[in-house]
Amino acid sequence: MPEAPTEEPVADPAAGPAVVSAVVGRASVPAVWPPAELIAAAVEALHNPGLVVIAGAPGTGRSGVLKRLGESFRGPVFSGGALAMLRGVPALPLSRAVRVRLPSHEAPLLAEAVRSRVRHGLLLLDDLQWADPLTIAALPAIAEHCRIVVTLRTPHRLPGDAERALRTAAATSGAWLSMPPMPADAAAALVRQLAPSASPAVVADLVRRAGGVPLAVVALAKHVAQGGTPRDTGDGLDKGLAYTVAGALADLTRPARTAMAALGLLGRPVTATVLGEGLTELVETGLVELTDGVAAPVSPYTAEVAAGLLDSTERAALHRRLATLVPPREAARHLAAAGAGAEAYQVAVTAAAAAESSGDRAELLLLACDLPGVEAEPQVRIAAARAALAAGRPGSCLRVIDPATTDPVAAVLRGEALLQQGSPVPAAAAVDAVTDDAPAEVLGGRDRIRLLSMLTTDPGGALGRAEELLRVHGDAPAHPGLRAAIAAVRAGTRQPGWEYGLASAASAAGQAGDVLAARWSAWLLVETLTADARLAEASQAATAAAAACAGDLAYSWQTRFLAAQLWCDALRGAEIDEVVRRAGDLADRTLPALARGYAVAAASLAEADGGLLAPARARLEALQNRPASAAPVLDWVTREAAWLDGRPDQAFAPAATAGSTPLVDGLRSITARWAAYDAGTSFSAGDDAVPLPPVQATLEAWKAPDRFAEAAAAWHELARREEVRCLLAQGLLEDGAEAAVPPLLEAERLAEEAGLVVLLGRARRALRRHSIRRDTRGRRAGDELTDRERDVLRLVANGEPTRRIAGQLGISRETVETHIRSGMRKLGAKTRTEAAALALEELGQ
């Protein structure tokens, strides 16, 4: 099991050569190893987040370096690693390190899940050469935010592109370090301590044969100490460490060799009972460590060599024996390795039926379908395809289903997989052969695929088709996926009761186990409520959906819902500081593109409203690869930030994006009118047919200013910032003080309560035009900001969340919050965002 995170500080390993212990059996042997220079280089590279790769041949001490770095790190350490027998298990090395189940389908989601747990700690991964492709793909993204050290045995079987990606990540932020050979004098000292009776000639011979490999030194020296005779190979270690280890293993008893070979075939630590009577000898010779009843080889490569010494008959027999001692999930793989395909098939299918998770079920069934020489039964292939879809693996689903299949169930599964991959037209074509006399479940799936395909290719005809399907399948359809598809069509055309339709479809799909339809329906509900300016409802729905996804470790969906919730809260002008903090923290993570788009929009709008205009613009400009569905939102926030920053010319240009929602279209039109007013230019109305009452009321008020009070009331329960803008416009467009001052005073009050710093400033400037100077809180006389308070507020202004400020300044989160509150008091600011803006003004930034 991986070690628990530790907070215990220890000495800095870069301070100089340190004497460590090489544990062999019961003896603790001092040696200058691992090399201080390599440790120092690794420590230097770990000053900031990045990837450090410790590469080297078997037995060179890579794991020792990893352990040393973990002991020396001043913070939590997460230790894990890959297992040879389970190299196909997605994210296993990372799951062992953080001790939780992790997303196992997408590298960005996996990276975010790991980053959120490791944070400022140290992630250690041993034996990366056995890691699955998903783990390898996620490491560069994790290294952008976390400190990572991995060991990689050379040679290895990683694909060339995987190694290049690791080298690039290490070169960008980190280091690629190769284990140097053990110095001859240190190796000789180690041999003399392990085999005190060895002659100088024997010591020299052992050092030469070891070739600077510490594990070889230990194995050969121990062999000599037990009375063995060194083998003269002429040129030394002609076959490298494998020969050295094989020679040492040859002197073990047969039960010990078998136990060591079993560890090699298992590729993981195992309980002592599995290894039998040979374990005692392995522990006494120092080849295996036994901790709490769990045996692990000191060197995994030693165990591999032991397994390699078996002939084919012995190897198959040992695989069969192990299959009776390990859980069914592993037993199926051991039987497959033994060449017992038929037995492996039966074990995999039986184990899949009892699997607790869709991921385990999919893996076992896919193994059954991929066994050489075994023809999987049609129903097993169907079950494998269905499990793959449930696990979010549409590609695997397509692999196990014949494209030319005439089975209607298989055709529907294939169509669903294509639909999940974003190919609606091929998805519809895949179910063309499914006839109307198919079972009800199959017909529901067929019609779902066709309807969703039509929704993307012919939205106008989708509603009519949905009504036809209701007459066939009933209202509401028993098929949860079809019910969700019909609810989507009704929501798109705003049919009466569409909200209930989406909510009930999501609930029904969840109860039926169709998580894809459930989450998709919930997302559509949030999007549609937001589009109709029902922001409080949308925020509540997104919060509930995010909580449900978190419980199921569905990080992609969870972050999407969280970002949508923050976007709604930013539009409402609710708790600006909290939106900035949470949205900035979310945007700092590894996110799907859509979630990142909404998170950046929320953070930027809240920052701009709070007076942090430069950070808001920088955040928007830094966003790359804007997703199409979030592009209209980001376009409007960019315009709004420009207008708030006194750049109206950048705010009323024609829209550059299509596919917007009614609310965003309306807000863009409102911002354009403000920009035209500030620039003193006329505004071409264009098409103002935005079907939202508060938007229409606001646009009409720009033509008849006496209606701004009505427009402000329409926004009252929806968006505080828009209510303030209406009151501000009413006061600016009135000539007489008697009519202008009351709405300006109300705008000032509401803006101050909400922390809308820029709008508050405009309201006060407008009041001064009527000779009204409001008493405002100013900074306390003689109460200057301290240097640390300035540092903290500068980082707040840069959009850094509390946790990162604490990490950068080396203080606790509580201390960060104390400095922020003190700065707010001294500056007379009501919110942290306002305090940061005032601090920037003071610092001349």
Side-chain angles (χ1 to χ4, degrees), residues 20 36 137 207 214 257 259 314 321 383 407 502 536 571 619 700 840:
V20 298
V207 170
R257 291 199 305 271
E314 291 175 323
R321 176 188 165 193
D407 184 337
L502 278 177
L571 283 174
R619 189 187 295 276
E700 290 297 326
L840 286 184

Side-chain angles (χ1 to χ4, degrees), residues 361-384:
R361 188 177 304 109
E363 180 182 344
L364 286 163
L365 289 172
L366 291 171
L367 169 65
C369 293
D370 293 337
L371 287 169
V374 178
E375 182 62 33
E377 300 166 286
Q379 62 268 30
V380 172
R381 289 192 174 275
I382 293 295

Side-chain angles (χ1 to χ4, degrees), residues 674 677 698 701-702 704-714 722-747 750 762-763 766-767 769-770:
W674 271 108
Y677 171 81
T698 305
W702 278 99
D706 60 336
R707 299 183 59 180
F708 269 118
E710 176 186 340
E722 295 307 317
E723 181 183 6
V724 170
R725 288 214 289 184
C726 287
L727 293 169
L728 180 60
Q730 181 182 0
L732 289 173
L733 295 176
E734 291 286 355
D735 294 329
E738 183 177 348
V741 170
L744 291 175
L745 291 175
E746 181 65 5
L750 294 175
R762 291 200 62 154
L767 285 169
R769 288 162 51 184
H770 297 284

Side-chain angles (χ1 to χ4, degrees), residues 84 259-268 300 303-304 306-307:
M260 199 66 182
L263 283 171
L265 295 180
L266 286 166
R268 64 174 177 85
E304 290 180 18

